[in-house]
Amino acid sequence: MAKINMVQALNTTLHDVMEKDSSVLIMGEDVGVNGGVFRVTDGLYEKYGRERAIDSPIAESGILGTAIGMAIGGLKPVIEMQFSGFSYEMMHQLEGNASRMRNRSRGQFSVPLVVRMPYGGGVRALEHHSESKEAFYAHTAGVKVVIPSSPTNAGPLLRAAIEDPDPVIFMEPKRSYRSFKESVSPKDYTIGRAEIVRSGEDITIVSWGAMMRDTLKAVEMIESDTEFSPEIIDLLTISPMDAATIVESVKKTGRCVVIQEAQQSFGPASEIIALINDQALMYLEAPVKRVTMYDVVMPLFAREMMYLPSKGQIVRAIRETLEF
Amino acid sequence: MPLDTIGTFSVSRLSILDETGKADTDLMPDLSEDQLIYLYESMTLSRMMDARMLNLQRQGRLGTLPVCTGQEAAFCPAILAIRDTDWFVGSYRELGARLMRGETLMNALLLFNGYEEGNVNPENDRTLPISIVLGSQLPHAVGLAYASRLKGEKDTVALTVFGDGSTSEGDFHEALNFAGVLDAPVIFLCQNNQFAISTPREFQTRSETIAQKAIAYGIHGIQVDGNDALAVYQAVKEAADRARQGEGPTLIEAVTFRMAMHTTADDPSRYRSDDLVASWEKKDPITRFRKYLTKEGIWDDDRQTALEARIKSDIDAAVKEFEQGVEIKPDAPFDHVFGTPAQIIEDQRARFLAELEKEADHG
């Protein structure tokens, strides 16, 4: 089977879903004729024309606001924020309307739409193009937040997001867009469920997005001189979080490290540690560690690799937790 | 290089009924006697319910309330001019419009006493709940209009309502721009009631009219006398007809006046004079429409007395039902977070119910 990268996986999925379901459309800045600045929507305009592959005016609130109407009206819009750093223009439509319409109308209306957005650092980009703000979206009741980590899970998760009855923020780690390929075999993924990518006994390691790949490499580095049995969990859905999978794992291993690309405070890593505190504290044999960025404005690219969690940091955190 | 005029634009204003209730017969819309009476009755119901709700609020029997008295002609005729199968995307100051769309008096009371259940329109599933954040509902109407077209409903349009303050919001600009670019069959009906809480219209925009803003988006725009029920009907009807025929969106500026406070938490004497309010009282939309109907011989004092008695009795019945108490499901908010079950939400529901029980035990 031919190997594909994440962009190809997402693109193939969009082609497939739009072919099977005429209510699905894409809309965003440069997603049509240009196929998206990362080419995730390549070829859709040629197949479906401007009616279902809409090059929108440059207005993120307008894009989401219009998509909310489309979704209530029976379509399934998959909109693109060109970079997550531009998505703050749409935050009031997300918090004020997309997330609330189901509750506000007591279920009379729902807003099944997907907001795709490339996010994250490590690609030597301009300001506003490197942040990881999943906590912004996850802190909103009624919104689901999904982050794939590989060509294998990106496609099925995007499909699940499009089929989901709720607004889904689908954050694509752009550092992983083209950095590796996989032979993709069909596999089911459910929104709200984390994946145990490797079963083990000694320590639970949780990560998501681009950090997943670094985490797997860090584990390999440790294994080159140390025998240990890690249980590695790919979170995949930030919200609603799959607490059970994490808690069960920690009950088994008694140790846990969480690796998050975002800044330290108020993020998913903090939430995971709080859940462990609530439900598995007495099983712990070591404090739960987190490896994160710092609470600073994301530096431009001359400094960004100093600030993003490194494989070395992940290795050290795992070793310290194992040896505690 | 010559300096050429590359475009000239004009803005029209439509007015059919003057303040004495005399109609310009050339401009008369095509409305049956029954329709005229239905419209008048709806406007009267809106006014009387508004007054009763304000009264209930002042007695501490309802929560904070936006009041719409004086603006009935700016929204009620718009509902008559569209179809039940069209989308209605309102704001929060058009009670009569919502009642015409099938909203119940009971639900109006529920909503403004803090129950989301009041947002559910039992009659019409193409009426969106009220929208509080100014202007944010406008793009929804564009999306709904677009969705109707794409799904092959060639005849469906979307009507959205908002105030003059909303025209300063980015979403107003974005929605009109999207509607123009997407050629969406949508009608933007602005209730220019002169004040956004305390801020007068001229502080919102230097534009002489709101209608002229349509020109910048390449869409139709018109100003109407918003206290003239027939003019508003005609403007919305023409906009809807155009939209149905694929001729795109329209911005309508209905010039009216908010006779009372912004909400019950507001004191308008801080920012506007009694004289100004009095000058608008003379233009009252219901009085004017009644004069017209009376002149036409289709309305009289007996009918008026009977109508008021009927409405009063309907409102009394709704208030009575409402005050008998409403059974609510305390954990309903957990039902409507997501459309799929989520363990983390169910865990929290269990915690919420357990806490409620403890509160009940310990007071």
Side-chain angles (χ1 to χ4, degrees):
Chain A
M1 189 184 289
K3 290 186 164 188
I4 59 170
N5 64 32
M6 188 185 284
V7 168
Q8 291 165 317
L10 294 167
N11 181 256
T12 306
T13 303
L14 285 172
H15 274 276
D16 192 40
V17 172
M18 285 183 72
E19 191 181 328
K20 288 183 180 135
D21 185 348
S22 62
S23 67
V24 178
L25 63 76
I26 60 156
M27 177 166 65
E29 295 155 11
D30 309 299
V31 299
V33 177
N34 194 38
V37 294
F38 288 101
R39 306 288 178 262
V40 173
T41 55
D42 198 27
L44 295 168
Y45 176 83
E46 286 75 5
K47 262 197 210 166
Y48 301 106
R50 190 163 173 250
E51 280 201 330
R52 288 177 63 203
I54 303 169
D55 277 320
S56 72
I58 301 172
E60 291 76 13
S61 180
I63 294 170
L64 179 56
T66 303
I68 290 169
M70 289 172 168
I72 293 171
L75 300 179
K76 291 179 185 166
V78 181
I79 61 173
E80 178 178 296
M81 294 290 119
Q82 197 162 73
F83 288 89
S84 65
F86 308 157
S87 71
Y88 316 129
E89 300 280 345
M90 62 145 216
M91 284 301 275
H92 87 100
Q93 283 290 357
L94 185 74
E95 204 287 335
N97 294 304
S99 70
R100 291 167 176 264
M101 195 57 82
R102 176 184 294 283
N103 181 69
R104 183 185 291 152
S105 68
R106 280 295 176 264
Q108 193 175 17
F109 299 109
S110 58
V111 185
L113 58 79
V114 180
V115 185
R116 293 182 36 252
M117 55 173 89
Y119 84 100
V123 296
R124 299 176 65 80
L126 296 172
E127 197 185 359
H128 308 295
H129 291 65
S130 303
E131 289 74 11
S132 301
K133 300 283 192 187
E134 58 269 35
F136 275 11
Y137 315 107
H139 210 84
T140 305
V143 171
K144 292 170 178 169
V145 182
V146 174
I147 302 186
S149 64
S150 70
T152 299
N153 57 40
L157 280 169
L158 180 57
R159 186 186 304 271
I162 296 169
E163 287 166 2
D164 198 88
D166 296 308
V168 179
I169 301 292
F170 193 85
M171 301 179 71
E172 300 167 1
K174 60 180 166 298
R175 186 153 65 93
S176 307
Y177 264 162
R178 297 173 190 278
S179 59
F180 63 104
K181 293 184 173 186
E182 289 176 342
S183 308
V184 173
S185 47
K187 204 170 164 185
D188 273 343
Y189 286 89
T190 306
I191 291 178
R193 196 133 342 127
E195 183 184 18
I196 299 173
V197 294
R198 182 169 159 185
S199 231
E201 304 296 326
D202 297 338
I203 185 168
T204 301
I205 303 169
V206 186
S207 193
W208 57 94
M211 281 297 135
M212 204 56 219
R213 183 109 172 131
D214 292 341
T215 298
L216 292 170
K217 286 197 178 136
V219 166
E220 274 175 34
M221 285 159 73
I222 299 171
E223 282 179 321
S224 67
D225 59 29
T226 310
E227 201 171 298
F228 83 124
S229 164
E231 178 141 302
I232 305 174
I233 295 175
D234 189 343
L235 196 57
L236 298 176
T237 298
I238 304 297
S239 180
M241 195 176 276
D242 183 359
T245 295
I246 298 167
V247 166
E248 284 316 303
S249 175
V250 172
K251 282 183 178 173
K252 179 172 68 172
T253 63
R255 295 169 200 273
C256 182
V257 173
V258 186
I259 299 104
Q260 151 180 304
E261 182 173 327
Q263 67 182 61
Q264 175 183 296
S265 302
F266 312 107
S270 317
E271 188 54 41
I272 289 167
I273 294 170
L275 285 166
I276 293 170
N277 179 60
D278 285 346
Q279 300 178 39
L281 182 69
M282 303 314 282
Y283 295 82
L284 287 179
E285 290 170 44
V288 181
K289 249 193 194 310
R290 54 185 162 168
V291 182
T292 71
M293 217 269 277
Y294 307 92
D295 291 349
V296 298
V297 172
M298 182 74 191
L300 293 183
F301 62 82
R303 289 189 186 83
E304 75 176 327
M305 296 319 285
M306 289 181 232
Y307 280 79
L308 289 175
S310 66
K311 290 191 262 303
Q313 279 175 281
I314 302 170
V315 167
R316 289 191 289 281
I318 294 171
R319 284 197 197 277
E320 283 167 24
T321 306
L322 281 170
E323 289 159 10
F324 184 85
Chain B
M1 295 290 276
L3 181 64
D4 291 332
T5 299
I6 56 169
T8 50
F9 304 98
S10 64
V11 186
S12 304
R13 177 186 166 92
L14 178 66
S15 166
I16 297 175
L17 276 185
D18 70 13
E19 284 173 31
T20 68
K22 190 164 163 285
D24 185 327
T25 45
D26 292 344
L27 296 172
M28 262 309 284
D30 182 21
L31 282 170
S32 70
E33 201 173 299
D34 283 351
Q35 284 177 307
L36 289 166
I37 289 172
Y38 167 62
L39 179 55
Y40 178 74
E41 291 184 346
S42 299
M43 289 165 65
T44 307
L45 171 63
S46 182
R47 174 76 56 97
M48 288 177 71
M49 184 63 174
D50 207 50
R52 176 65 76 87
M53 286 171 76
L54 177 58
N55 196 283
L56 289 169
Q57 194 280 336
R58 290 307 191 218
Q59 295 168 1
R61 292 150 78 190
L62 269 188
T64 302
L65 193 71
V67 190
C68 63
T69 286
Q71 295 180 215
E72 294 85 355
F75 48 73
C76 286
I79 302 303
L80 188 63
I82 62 167
R83 303 172 183 166
D84 286 347
T85 48
D86 291 329
W87 287 92
F88 177 64
V89 184
S91 178
Y92 53 77
R93 199 187 302 286
E94 56 275 334
L95 175 65
R98 290 195 175 275
L99 297 173
M100 289 173 77
R101 289 288 287 188
E103 185 58 87
T104 62
L105 297 172
M106 175 68 171
N107 274 9
L109 295 168
L110 277 177
L111 179 63
F112 291 106
N113 213 28
Y115 298 101
E116 287 90 343
E117 284 76 3
N119 263 331
V120 181
N121 189 316
E123 297 268 317
N124 188 301
D125 61 4
R126 290 190 166 189
T127 301
L128 260 50
I130 69 162
S131 178
I132 305 263
V133 178
L134 292 196
S136 76
Q137 74 277 20
L138 272 63
H140 307 169
V142 178
L144 287 162
Y146 189 86
S148 303
R149 279 294 174 279
L150 198 62
K151 291 177 73 190
E153 287 184 29
K154 298 293 177 207
D155 230 16
T156 300
V157 305
L159 166 70
T160 184
V161 175
F162 51 96
D164 45 306
S166 297
T167 66
S168 300
E169 291 280 2
D171 273 345
F172 168 81
H173 161 69
E174 296 187 23
L176 267 67
N177 193 41
F178 270 66
V181 168
L182 296 175
D183 206 19
V186 54
I187 304 154
F188 300 99
L189 175 60
C190 177
Q191 313 272 295
N192 173 6
N193 67 10
Q194 314 301 324
F195 284 91
I197 306 188
S198 67
T199 309
R201 212 292 273 150
E202 60 270 26
F203 285 10
Q204 296 296 340
T205 174
R206 192 164 162 171
S207 298
E208 204 172 315
T209 67
I210 286 167
Q212 75 198 57
K213 289 173 184 279
I215 295 165
Y217 302 100
I219 67 175
H220 293 278
I222 187 170
Q223 188 184 72
V224 295
D225 179 346
N227 282 12
D228 172 351
L230 298 179
V232 173
Y233 173 84
Q234 187 60 22
V236 176
K237 183 74 170 60
E238 281 175 14
D241 288 347
R242 266 199 308 273
R244 286 187 221 289
Q245 285 154 21
E247 291 170 36
T250 301
L251 169 64
I252 300 168
E253 174 190 7
V255 181
T256 179
F257 193 77
R258 192 189 77 215
M259 293 303 292
M261 60 291 285
H262 160 67
T263 68
T264 47
D266 175 40
D267 171 11
S269 71
R270 290 176 64 87
Y271 53 82
R272 62 188 201 188
S273 70
D274 291 345
D275 286 351
L276 178 65
V277 178
S279 72
W280 280 91
E281 259 162 28
K282 293 181 197 138
K283 302 176 186 172
D284 187 277
I286 296 181
T287 309
R288 191 190 302 190
F289 195 29
R290 181 177 167 182
K291 281 179 188 164
Y292 165 75
L293 295 176
T294 306
K295 275 184 193 168
E296 291 294 303
I298 53 181
W299 198 255
D300 56 33
D301 289 351
D302 288 347
R303 292 192 78 158
Q304 182 71 22
T305 308
L307 172 67
E308 285 175 17
R310 175 157 58 82
I311 291 175
K312 184 177 179 307
S313 145
D314 288 349
I315 295 176
D316 285 346
V319 172
K320 194 174 166 200
E321 186 192 349
F322 166 69
E323 300 223 309
Q324 275 166 351
V326 196
E327 209 163 307
I328 67 150
K329 184 172 183 257
D331 58 328
F334 291 95
D335 294 342
H336 303 293
V337 182
F338 295 124
T340 53
Q343 193 56 46
I344 205 152
I345 301 299
E346 291 312 314
D347 289 349
Q348 291 177 37
R349 184 204 298 267
R351 178 160 67 85
F352 166 79
L353 291 172
E355 293 292 347
L356 267 195
E357 216 161 290
K358 284 178 208 160
E359 298 282 327
D361 288 349
H362 303 295

